[in-house]
Amino acid sequence: MVNSRPKSRELRLWYILLGVTIVFLLGVIFFISANSSRIANAATWNPSGPIDPYNVPIANVVVRVRPSDGKVFIIGENAYGINKEGPSLYYMTSPNYTLQTLVKFPNSTTNSSRSARATFDKDSVLHVVWGERSGPNNSYEQWYVRVLANNSVSPSVTIPFGGNGEAFKPDIASTVFPYSGASKIYISRNIFNFSSNNYSQEVISSSDGGISWGGATDLIGNFTPSNASQSSSIAVAPNDDVFVVVKTEENNIEHVYGKARTGGVWKPRQELSPANNGSNVPVITAAADLNSNGYIFFVYAASSTLYSKKWNNATSTWSSTPSTYTAPGRPVGLDSVGTGDGSIWLSVQNLNLGQSYATSSDGGTSWSGGDITLDGISASTSIAWANNQMYAAWKSGYTVRLFSTPGGGYISTPTNLTTTINSPTQVTLNWSDNSANETGFVLERSTSPAFSIITTFNPLANAITFPDTSVTENGIYYYRIKAALPGGAFTGYSNVTPQVLIPLKTPTNLAKTGSTTTSVSLSWTDNSGVETAYKLERKTPSTNFSEIASNLAPGTTTYTDSGLSEGNQYTYRVRAFNSTSNNYSAYSSELNATTDLIAPGSLSAVSTSSTEVALSWQGLSTNESGYIIERSPTGVTNPNNSFVEVGRTQANILTFHDTGLTANNPYFYQVKAYNTFVSSGYTLIDQAKTGTDKPIDLAVTGVTSTSISLQFTDKSDNETQFEVFRRTLGGSYGANATFTIGANATAAPSPVSFTDPNALTPGTVYFYKVRAITVADPNGGPSSFSNESSAATTSGNAACVVSTTSNSGAGSLRAALTDAVNCNKSGGVITFSLTGSQTIAVATALPDVAIGASIGGSCGSSGANIRLDAQTTAATLVLKGNNTVYGLQLRNAVLGGKPVSMGGTGIKMSCVTLLRT
């Protein structure tokens, strides 16, 4: 299409009137066809600028649709070039359809017959091929160019052929979606060899997108000059099957041959001409639908009958379809295409009537047809299909006509097939249903992407999902789906899903079967039949999962995890594994399990009063948070556990006092260790019976040289006797009582007085403590001990006991110290029975305490307090040596005074506090 020379005004007005008339007629035709068929007039485009009526600037129109974006490309020849720069091939693209130069030819080849053909491959690269008189002796050469997705045009190149001759009248086809391999381009071409004077028909192919080309395949054989190979048409199915139709002239009669390559193997050629043809074959075309069926169509000049042949894989032959189509008028142009809904479409140029179409949606069993437009007669027609739309283009006079269907509204290939693995026994398929009236779907499953062995499922019409419940664990599957058409035809296949690897069956029932302080024993159920190993993983609360056993033998259902820490929590999970396919099952459920805590030992329960029991035990664990103490009134543990928790201790605390109990009742105890994760086993049960309340206020009431009398308050109501323990100064109490006292019959509380029944040594300090016991109940513990009280027997008959409750006897100490005959003498004993302080108030120096004398009081913080008065500025209490001091707080005066002086050696002190106040 070029800018032409100016026209007269009248001619321009004639063209305008003609254009208006054509638009009106086209509108009427669109209304009729849109309501009676699937082809409708969508639009008509003309090249920009005036058209030269005295030349033929446009020829051999080809329409193709780019798969990636649905853009429409129209390719054709122009005699003068877009800007009159010379002959060229042009192309136009939607939506504006502006002329663009594809190839510019030398002027010397202006009148060459180029017969350009084009195809898009699955990678959306446009491939254009033509034959041109550019070789030696003005012979035909094979030329080829590529248009990339960004519309950039690669330099045109010649495709060589063997021998001395020419290559002309090419046709081109490519593998397209949904083909899953590399882009392949096929060219069928006529070859004339000058040396042998023979014709041949061959196919060449490229497996790298048209960069390099493989050797030729001789399709039909050699022909003598009188038996010329005239033209061919080639089609490629989505599975890479190739179908070729060739028209030859033999003995002045034209013949039609068909040949197919299926499964990568060329089948023998087959003549398709009727036996009584007797006339020329003006047009031929080949097509393949998306079900990988091959078709050949041709028409004889003397007839309008469309001959339709379909490839039969079962017999490896071309068979006539059950029904033929009669075109309205004699066809002079023919093109065909298989669409995404499984139908076959034909664009027909009629010698007298114009453009029409035919379609079959059932594989050629039945045909229907209609007119697209009645204006414009041409022998060039081209059709294409993409994105649910049909496009028909042809040359009508000096104008390119382009018609298209509205898109949608008829059966289209399912898309977006996806898989979801739900379990080792189910895969769910989902897809987009692009059809309006399919009768159902055919879902195919194979163990290889080539679909050599197929399992078929039949989802219902309008379904968009299907559960495949017949898969097996560790199986490898691929899926594809197509829609079923009325009459038994099918759409093309959807995409082939990526490999689906079915996981192994998951182990279940993971459980802890045992444990020690350093191990956990596990078991699970083996559900898989194809595992080569089991893999066990473990984690702790502070770590992530890691494998601890990676190659457990097939069929393993138990494992003991050793070398663990005492009383710790561990989390486990297990899964099956197949090493051949590097395939796993899902993980089992997670299991928390703990190692044992070491149980405490040697529980001892001792009653310390009528309301308290003291417990102690041996701690053996190294990871306890503490101990739980449980008590029962019966000691029954099973089947009716009566033990309840009564207290807890922290780690390493191994004693507990259970208080608030009932007197004279038996209690049973058990103890266990615990931490955040686990409790240990229990100690052995120990029991104690609450004893009596302890005696209080034990005090000395009388002293002689050989006896000491005491008194205490009895707080118990159930004692059977009292045990009295005695020791001397510097000695210790024995394990057994020194003597016993009978039970007090008076209701508690009441005073109890007694005298040590033993003959005591004069001048000796004695200490006493008392407890109550119940002899009749050996499980009942004794009470705790009373306070300790002490006294010293006198030396001879001297009365050297200083007893006062206050400072009222403020001179008694000085009197005793100055009594050198009875008290302050070697071996003399001055005994204080005081509840307050005894102050030495003198103005003159005190006599020194005689060597070997003793001064004694009550042991403890409440003992007698001997204090030097503030007035005794010159007084000093001097202990000369070998003295015994016990149970006293020796203090100097508050203001002034002298400290106690140690004037000699060998002084023995017990429970003495020397304080300066």
Side-chain angles (χ1 to χ4, degrees):
M1 287 174 247
V2 298
N3 294 325
S4 62
R5 53 182 184 271
K7 310 296 179 189
S8 68
R9 181 178 181 182
E10 291 79 12
L11 185 58
R12 290 179 180 176
L13 290 175
W14 185 88
Y15 274 128
I16 292 173
L17 180 60
L18 177 61
V20 171
T21 304
I22 291 173
V23 170
F24 173 78
L25 291 175
L26 290 177
V28 173
I29 294 169
F30 168 75
F31 176 81
I32 297 172
S33 59
N35 288 275
S36 62
S37 64
R38 295 191 229 186
I39 286 287
N41 180 4
T44 300
W45 293 274
N46 294 309
S48 61
I51 304 301
D52 189 339
Y54 302 107
N55 294 287
V56 186
I58 302 170
N60 296 321
V61 174
V62 178
V63 62
R64 293 292 181 260
V65 184
R66 188 157 62 191
S68 61
D69 56 10
K71 291 194 71 172
V72 179
F73 282 68
I74 297 174
I75 303 97
E77 299 177 32
N78 189 297
Y80 297 113
I82 297 174
N83 296 308
K84 295 189 177 181
E85 73 276 12
S88 64
L89 290 181
Y90 70 87
Y91 70 98
M92 302 184 293
T93 62
S94 59
N96 298 320
Y97 294 95
T98 302
L99 284 172
Q100 301 179 66
T101 299
L102 182 67
V103 177
K104 183 179 180 301
F105 302 119
N107 287 327
S108 61
T109 61
T110 299
N111 296 321
S112 299
S113 175
R114 297 183 178 90
S115 301
R117 296 291 183 264
T119 184
F120 272 106
D121 64 21
K122 76 180 189 67
D123 297 322
S124 293
V125 176
L126 179 64
H127 303 264
V128 182
V129 65
W130 67 94
E132 180 182 337
R133 285 192 179 275
S134 56
N137 301 319
N138 202 28
S139 63
Y140 283 103
E141 289 186 313
Q142 182 78 63
W143 287 83
Y144 172 79
V145 71
R146 300 164 68 236
V147 181
L148 304 179
N150 60 359
N151 293 346
S152 61
V153 180
S154 65
S156 60
V157 297
T158 58
I159 300 178
F161 53 93
N164 177 24
E166 58 184 1
F168 59 102
K169 290 186 177 180
D171 194 21
I172 189 169
S174 173
T175 53
V176 295
F177 178 85
Y179 179 70
S180 59
S183 289
K184 293 184 180 181
I185 301 93
Y186 295 87
I187 293 176
S188 67
R189 60 185 181 178
N190 298 339
I191 302 295
F192 178 73
N193 191 300
F194 293 145
S195 300
S196 61
N197 218 22
N198 283 337
Y199 289 92
S200 64
Q201 187 74 33
E202 66 181 18
V203 170
I204 59 174
S205 63
S206 173
S207 297
D208 55 10
I211 305 301
S212 58
W213 294 85
T217 300
D218 186 5
L219 285 177
I220 306 301
N222 294 324
F223 302 91
T224 62
S226 62
N227 296 331
S229 176
Q230 297 180 334
S231 62
S232 67
S233 178
I234 188 169
V236 181
N239 65 352
D240 199 26
D241 284 352
V242 180
F243 307 99
V244 180
V245 58
V246 177
K247 181 179 73 171
T248 70
E249 181 180 324
E250 303 173 29
N251 299 321
N252 298 320
I253 297 176
E254 292 184 347
H255 296 260
V256 177
Y257 290 93
K259 196 163 185 178
R261 192 196 72 173
T262 59
V265 178
W266 285 101
K267 309 301 180 180
R269 73 176 185 178
Q270 179 182 349
E271 183 173 1
L272 307 179
S273 311
N276 57 346
N277 46 27
S279 63
N280 293 334
V281 182
V283 286
I284 60 173
T285 184
D289 64 21
L290 291 190
N291 294 321
S292 296
N293 295 311
Y295 298 85
I296 288 174
F297 305 99
F298 57 94
V299 179
Y300 281 91
S303 170
S304 59
T305 298
L306 179 71
Y307 287 89
S308 174
K309 305 291 183 178
K310 183 177 181 181
W311 177 254
N312 188 328
N313 258 323
T315 60
S316 292
T317 59
W318 292 95
S319 303
S320 297
T321 56
S323 176
T324 59
Y325 168 70
T326 300
R330 184 163 66 88
V332 293
L334 187 65
D335 196 14
S336 61
V337 67
T339 69
D341 63 0
S343 60
I344 293 294
W345 290 71
L346 300 173
S347 176
V348 184
Q349 281 283 350
N350 300 289
L351 182 62
N352 299 317
L353 299 179
Q355 191 77 20
S356 62
Y357 75 92
T359 179
S360 173
S361 60
D362 54 13
T365 300
S366 59
W367 293 89
S368 60
D371 294 329
I372 302 176
T373 180
L374 299 178
D375 72 313
I377 306 301
S378 172
S380 171
T381 185
S382 178
I383 58 174
W385 174 90
N387 300 327
N388 296 340
Q389 282 188 278
M390 282 294 306
Y391 297 86
W394 65 94
K395 169 194 164 186
S396 178
Y398 300 150
T399 302
V400 173
R401 301 293 193 192
L402 176 65
F403 287 79
S404 64
T405 62
Y410 55 92
I411 296 176
S412 181
T413 300
T415 55
N416 304 319
L417 179 63
T418 62
T419 59
T420 301
I421 301 174
N422 304 109
S423 71
T425 59
Q426 179 173 315
V427 173
T428 297
L429 287 302
N430 292 283
W431 62 89
S432 297
D433 176 11
N434 301 317
S435 306
N437 58 341
E438 78 278 358
T439 60
F441 293 93
V442 177
L443 176 66
E444 295 179 355
R445 184 187 75 195
S446 178
T447 56
S448 71
F451 283 82
S452 54
I453 301 176
I454 296 175
T455 302
T456 301
F457 309 95
N458 297 103
L460 299 177
N462 300 318
I464 57 173
T465 186
F466 182 82
D468 181 3
T469 58
S470 63
V471 296
T472 59
E473 61 170 336
N474 204 45
I476 295 176
Y477 301 101
Y478 299 84
Y479 295 86
R480 64 186 183 185
I481 192 170
K482 59 185 178 181
L485 309 177
F490 299 96
T491 67
Y493 285 104
S494 70
N495 57 294
V496 176
T497 63
Q499 174 183 293
V500 177
L501 177 59
I502 307 300
L504 276 63
K505 291 183 179 179
T506 306
T508 54
N509 303 321
L510 179 61
K512 173 183 172 181
T513 57
S515 60
T516 67
T517 57
T518 59
S519 69
V520 171
S521 295
L522 305 166
S523 69
W524 59 87
T525 300
D526 172 16
N527 296 315
S528 176
V530 295
E531 84 279 2
T532 60
Y534 273 102
K535 295 181 179 290
L536 182 67
E537 298 181 8
R538 179 189 70 205
K539 73 171 183 176
T540 67
S542 61
T543 63
N544 296 322
F545 275 109
S546 61
E547 279 190 2
I548 59 171
S550 59
N551 289 296
L552 298 177
T556 299
T557 58
T558 60
Y559 183 80
T560 297
D561 187 16
S562 303
L564 306 177
S565 299
E566 175 208 359
N568 272 350
Q569 176 177 284
Y570 299 90
T571 302
Y572 296 89
R573 64 186 184 185
V574 65
R575 59 178 174 171
F577 173 69
N578 184 285
S579 59
T580 302
S581 57
N582 194 32
N583 192 15
Y584 293 86
S585 72
Y587 284 105
S588 68
S589 57
E590 294 181 5
L591 171 71
N592 293 329
T594 55
T595 51
D596 299 342
L597 274 177
I598 301 175
S602 303
L603 175 63
S604 173
V606 177
S607 172
T608 56
S609 74
S610 60
T611 59
E612 179 179 282
V613 171
L615 299 130
S616 63
W617 58 88
Q618 183 182 15
L620 302 176
S621 172
T622 60
N623 194 31
E624 86 280 0
S625 298
Y627 295 91
I628 298 174
I629 298 91
E630 296 181 2
R631 181 184 70 209
S632 169
T634 63
V636 176
T637 58
N638 286 305
N640 300 312
N641 193 336
S642 59
F643 278 91
V644 294
E645 180 180 331
V646 293
R648 295 191 178 204
T649 69
Q650 299 301 310
N652 301 317
I653 304 300
L654 306 178
T655 59
F656 179 80
H657 289 266
D658 189 16
T659 60
L661 305 177
T662 302
N664 204 32
N665 268 352
Y667 293 94
F668 299 82
Y669 295 89
Q670 60 185 14
V671 178
K672 63 180 179 181
Y674 77 94
N675 64 16
T676 304
F677 308 117
V678 65
S679 296
S680 73
Y682 288 98
T683 61
L684 294 176
I685 296 173
D686 197 16
Q687 62 173 319
K689 186 174 183 179
T690 48
T692 57
D693 291 328
K694 69 178 181 179
I696 61 173
D697 302 330
L698 176 64
V700 176
T701 59
V703 179
T704 69
S705 60
T706 58
S707 69
I708 296 176
S709 297
L710 304 100
Q711 179 180 294
F712 61 87
T713 298
D714 176 14
K715 296 283 289 183
S716 172
D717 290 328
N718 64 339
E719 82 280 356
T720 57
Q721 61 183 9
F722 295 97
E723 290 184 333
V724 181
F725 290 76
R726 185 186 67 206
R727 69 178 177 88
T728 58
L729 180 65
S732 60
Y733 291 110
N736 298 318
T738 306
F739 57 90
T740 62
I741 303 172
N744 176 27
T746 305
S750 59
V752 176
S753 299
F754 67 98
T755 299
D756 190 342
N758 300 290
L760 305 179
T761 302
T764 304
V765 178
Y766 292 95
F767 295 82
Y768 295 88
K769 63 181 180 179
V770 181
R771 68 179 179 183
I773 64 170
T774 304
V775 177
D777 186 358
N779 293 322
S783 73
S784 57
F785 286 101
S786 68
N787 60 295
E788 187 180 60
S789 184
S790 63
T793 55
T794 61
S795 300
N797 295 318
C800 290
V801 177
V802 179
S803 178
T804 180
T805 58
S806 67
N807 288 335
S808 61
S812 58
L813 175 59
R814 187 176 186 281
L817 291 176
T818 58
D819 185 354
V821 175
N822 296 311
C823 297
N824 190 5
K825 61 182 179 180
S826 179
V829 178
I830 303 173
T831 301
F832 290 88
S833 178
L834 300 175
T835 59
S837 299
Q838 175 66 56
T839 301
I840 303 174
V842 293
T844 59
L846 288 173
D848 296 338
V849 177
I851 296 174
S854 298
I855 301 175
S858 298
C859 184
S861 61
S862 61
N865 183 2
I866 300 176
R867 186 176 62 196
L868 298 180
D869 190 270
Q871 299 175 3
T872 60
T873 56
T876 302
L877 182 61
V878 179
L879 304 179
K880 298 291 288 186
N882 295 323
N883 303 116
T884 300
V885 182
Y886 61 93
L888 297 178
Q889 296 181 19
L890 300 179
R891 299 172 180 267
N892 68 323
V894 174
L895 296 174
K898 303 292 184 179
V900 174
S901 175
M902 307 297 179
T905 60
I907 298 173
K908 291 184 283 186
M909 293 187 178
S910 177
C911 293
V912 172
T913 304
L914 299 176
L915 295 175
R916 182 181 182 87
T917 56

